Amino acid sequence: MKGENKNNKTSTGGMRQGASEAALIDRLIKQDESAFRQIIPLYQPSMRALALAIAGDSIADEIVQEAWLAMMRALPAFEQRSSLKTWLLRIVANEAKSRFRREKRSCSLEGLESDNGVMAERYGSNGHWSLPPARWELATPEAILSEEELKECIELTVKRLPPLQGAALKLKELEDYSSQEICNILDVSASNIRVLLHRARNSLYEAIEHFQATGNCRPCG
Amino acid sequence: MNIFRRRGIVDHAVSGIAMLNCKQVNELAGDYHSGELSLAKRISVYVHLLMCVHCRRYVKQLGVTIDSVKTLLEEPACSDKALEETISHITNNKVKKD
Ligand SMILES: [Zn+2]
């Protein structure tokens, strides 16, 4: 068992699973336009964020539109083992991953090739810090985000994360999904999710620390 | 570990408590923030942080990192235009029927 409080969070975008969702699905299958109007504003921003993280800006919208159609085709067979939103994000992730593979075959989806993660070089062989963390001048989110160049640097770093690292980060930090749900959406093993998130967070940590020390942005250094 | 027992925390959780080195703390720090660590691991990290000023700083600043990113990642709401486009996209591509 992992976290004991992982079920405390509502990760279904404000819509409870169960009877009301079953009724909604029924209306969607009947192509009731008001049902579309209800869910599109709720789900589309998350779908777009996920498509963007995995496949990039130029085809994110296309992937989202494709996913809606795929949802409509598959909805009659949807068994509600997950929430509708989780299932829909899984469709988006699948579509985005296959588009990514088709178009950028040389790049890695996960970015886990090297054995050492980010920051590994900051520890000695005994596991103690060899290059300890510096004390940050800008020590709160407010202070950090008020520095325009640093803000841009963080955005750039997020953008340059390997696709599944960026996707896992968004699902976790933005959507509050548990690691187990992220496994389900991205179709990645639990241990890989842990590594993806760990590397993504450390890349951002390092970008902020490097910027504060030097005034320069070094995304994914 | 008596204090944990006194607080009624079960033995099997306490028995998983380990001495961590700094690098291991780094690996657990994100889940420490998101509350996804088992009790034993959470206590292990906590005990290390009591003793290690560097990791205390790292874990704190990682929390600041995560909170900053959370704010930055906020997605813009779905615009009316995007909503209408999606609706017409779905209805124009009806799976069966027409
Ligand atoms: Zn330490």
Side-chain angles (χ1 to χ4, degrees):
Chain A
M1 270 312 283
K2 246 188 279 164
E4 36 277 280
N5 60 353
K6 71 170 175 243
N7 292 324
N8 291 351
K9 293 170 178 172
T10 55
S11 52
T12 47
M15 191 167 313
R16 283 230 189 77
Q17 250 175 288
S20 65
E21 190 154 287
L24 173 71
I25 289 166
D26 212 41
R27 284 163 58 215
L28 289 170
I29 291 174
K30 290 179 183 136
Q31 305 191 344
D32 171 350
E33 190 179 310
S34 71
F36 295 138
R37 288 189 184 280
Q38 185 181 339
I39 66 162
I40 292 168
L42 282 178
Y43 299 167
Q44 188 151 292
S46 312
M47 293 165 72
R48 194 172 187 286
L50 184 59
L52 188 67
I54 298 176
D57 207 11
S58 58
I59 51 173
D61 288 320
E62 220 179 298
I63 289 167
V64 170
Q65 299 297 319
E66 193 47 55
W68 282 116
L69 295 186
M71 178 199 82
M72 291 306 293
R73 283 192 296 270
L75 208 47
F78 175 47
E79 290 173 350
Q80 279 194 272
R81 266 189 246 130
S82 65
S83 75
L84 179 62
K85 185 179 180 188
T86 300
W87 180 69
L88 193 48
L89 290 178
R90 193 176 150 89
I91 294 174
V92 172
N94 272 334
E95 177 70 17
K97 282 197 288 186
S98 68
R99 290 294 294 267
F100 176 89
R101 287 201 192 96
R102 222 179 302 153
E103 283 166 34
K104 306 177 189 173
R105 252 172 284 176
S106 58
C107 301
S108 151
L109 267 169
E110 301 190 337
L112 301 180
E113 294 69 32
S114 71
D115 287 341
N116 287 335
V118 228
M119 291 190 85
E121 73 287 354
R122 295 185 63 167
Y123 296 89
S125 52
N126 57 3
H128 290 295
W129 288 93
S130 57
L131 188 60
R135 197 183 65 81
W136 293 359
E137 196 78 21
L138 305 169
T140 64
E142 296 72 33
I144 285 171
L145 298 176
S146 67
E147 188 79 32
E148 202 52 43
E149 278 179 61
L150 177 51
K151 200 170 122 184
E152 282 167 20
C153 182
I154 299 170
E155 283 167 340
L156 188 64
T157 307
V158 171
K159 214 179 269 179
R160 297 224 182 135
L161 288 173
L164 291 190
Q165 288 187 27
L169 185 78
K170 284 187 179 173
L171 290 169
K172 166 62 87 185
E173 309 302 355
L174 197 60
E175 305 285 337
D176 250 356
Y177 274 113
S178 71
S179 297
Q180 203 167 345
E181 288 168 309
I182 300 175
C183 293
N184 180 17
I185 293 171
L186 297 180
D187 203 13
V188 169
S189 74
S191 63
N192 267 10
I193 288 294
R194 221 169 299 130
V195 182
L196 290 169
L197 281 171
H198 177 238
R199 294 205 178 179
R201 287 164 173 152
N202 271 346
S203 289
L204 287 155
Y205 179 95
E206 292 251 78
I208 295 174
E209 184 147 313
H210 184 79
F211 186 95
Q212 297 215 26
T214 65
N216 295 320
C217 189
R218 186 192 55 177
C220 305
Chain B
M1 293 298 123
N2 285 338
I3 49 164
F4 301 122
R5 293 226 168 95
R6 217 174 30 236
R7 288 179 187 171
I9 292 167
V10 286
D11 282 359
H12 74 264
V14 176
S15 69
I17 294 173
M19 289 296 287
L20 303 173
N21 66 34
C22 301
K23 198 170 175 215
Q24 291 167 323
V25 169
N26 181 306
E27 277 151 24
L28 298 174
D31 288 342
Y32 184 72
H33 275 297
S34 64
E36 280 201 278
L37 287 184
S38 68
L39 181 62
K41 280 193 176 149
R42 206 158 65 230
I43 294 170
S44 305
V45 172
Y46 181 77
V47 169
H48 182 101
L49 295 182
L50 288 178
M51 306 179 302
C52 179
V53 63
H54 293 322
C55 285
R56 221 151 50 223
R57 177 177 290 169
Y58 165 73
V59 167
K60 179 168 168 252
Q61 291 178 168
L62 184 71
V64 172
T65 302
I66 293 170
D67 289 341
S68 306
V69 170
K70 259 185 202 171
T71 312
L72 260 190
L73 288 180
E74 219 50 69
E75 277 302 308
C78 182
S79 68
D80 289 346
K81 183 166 164 278
L83 172 64
E84 298 307 328
E85 275 172 10
T86 300
I87 287 175
S88 70
H89 180 73
I90 297 173
T91 47
N92 290 337
N93 288 282
K94 279 180 186 165
V95 195
K96 50 255 139 147
K97 295 190 176 174
D98 38 71

